[in-house]
Amino acid sequence: MLPILYHRHSASPTAAEGRGSTSQADGASGCRVHADHRNMNAPTPVGRRRTARRTASLSIIAMLALIATGSAASAAASDHSPGSSTQADAADASARSVPAEPWRWPVPAPIRVVAPFRAPPTPFTAGHRGIDIATESAASVTAPAPGVVSFAGMVAGRPVIAIDHGDGIVSAIEPVAALVEAGAVVTSGDPIGTVSTGGHCASGCVHFGVRVDGEYVSPYLFLGGLPRAVLLPSG
């Protein structure tokens, strides 16, 4: 009796190869799917152009804003030029400091102003920072208002007396030979010196100035204006 031989049938190579091919195909297909998703998320040429245009527009807007800001700053700087600032400060100081009672003129009548006040456009430019009053040599000089003598001495070769009246108000008169010293308390009309020589005033003239918080202002604001001329009888 012949033995029966059983043969184990292995998987067909063709089938195995088919399965392997199918897996590889699936893997390749999976790669292609992921690649397709990546390609879908990538910006298209049209989108890139839109983004570029949007970026350019924002840059132009930013540049225009900077130009406008610079123009506004320049305008503000021109509005606050040194000349306009100095004149505005002087006007403000004058408005705040006009006394309720006018000051006395520091020299005897008749009063004759030979050079008026001319405010300088800036602190370092030319002007006439006070008034020049004609008087006689050696005439008596009196305090225009109550205060404390803050200075009595020589300045650039001429004798000067300054009085601090409080609230940032300081008067000064020159050339005057002092009869008082710094620190002396004076009242309106007190003798403080006699007319001397020196400075830009000619003989028989005094220069009278007023400062408020360091800014020169017109003495007329404190003296109540120019008084009417008084003619003294002769003989």
Side-chain angles (χ1 to χ4, degrees):
M1 182 175 179
L2 295 174
I4 299 174
L5 298 178
Y6 296 92
H7 297 280
R8 180 178 294 177
H9 296 278
S10 61
S12 171
T14 304
E17 290 176 0
R19 285 195 299 270
S21 300
T22 302
S23 300
Q24 292 175 1
D26 292 341
S29 176
C31 293
R32 286 196 298 272
V33 170
H34 291 301
D36 291 341
H37 282 296
R38 285 196 299 270
N39 292 334
M40 289 173 63
N41 294 328
T44 63
V46 175
R48 283 195 294 269
R49 286 195 295 271
R50 290 177 178 172
T51 302
R53 285 196 296 269
R54 189 180 301 112
T55 303
S57 300
L58 293 175
S59 300
I60 293 173
I61 293 173
M63 291 176 63
L64 292 175
L66 288 174
I67 293 172
T69 304
S71 300
S74 299
S78 62
D79 290 341
H80 294 82
S81 60
S84 61
S85 177
T86 299
Q87 294 173 357
D89 291 344
D92 179 64
S94 302
R96 290 188 294 105
S97 305
V98 176
E101 294 293 331
W103 287 5
R104 293 172 59 103
W105 286 81
V107 295
I111 302 300
R112 185 167 65 93
V113 175
V114 295
F117 174 81
R118 294 190 301 274
T122 69
F124 306 104
T125 53
H128 192 229
R129 296 167 171 81
I131 57 176
D132 293 345
I133 312 170
T135 186
E136 295 182 359
S137 180
S140 177
V141 178
T142 59
V148 177
V149 176
S150 58
F151 179 82
M154 301 296 291
V155 177
R158 60 189 186 274
V160 180
I161 296 179
I163 301 175
D164 187 344
H165 303 283
D167 296 328
I169 305 171
V170 177
S171 66
I173 188 166
E174 60 176 273
V176 177
L179 298 176
V180 293
E181 296 180 349
V185 178
V186 296
T187 60
S188 179
D190 283 353
I192 58 174
T194 58
V195 177
S196 183
T197 58
H200 70 270
C201 247
S203 179
C205 171
V206 293
H207 175 83
F208 180 59
V210 179
R211 287 176 294 158
V212 178
D213 296 334
E215 298 287 344
Y216 284 95
V217 299
S218 174
Y220 289 148
L221 297 171
F222 296 84
L223 296 168
L226 185 65
R228 303 168 77 181
V230 178
L231 299 178
L232 300 179
S234 60

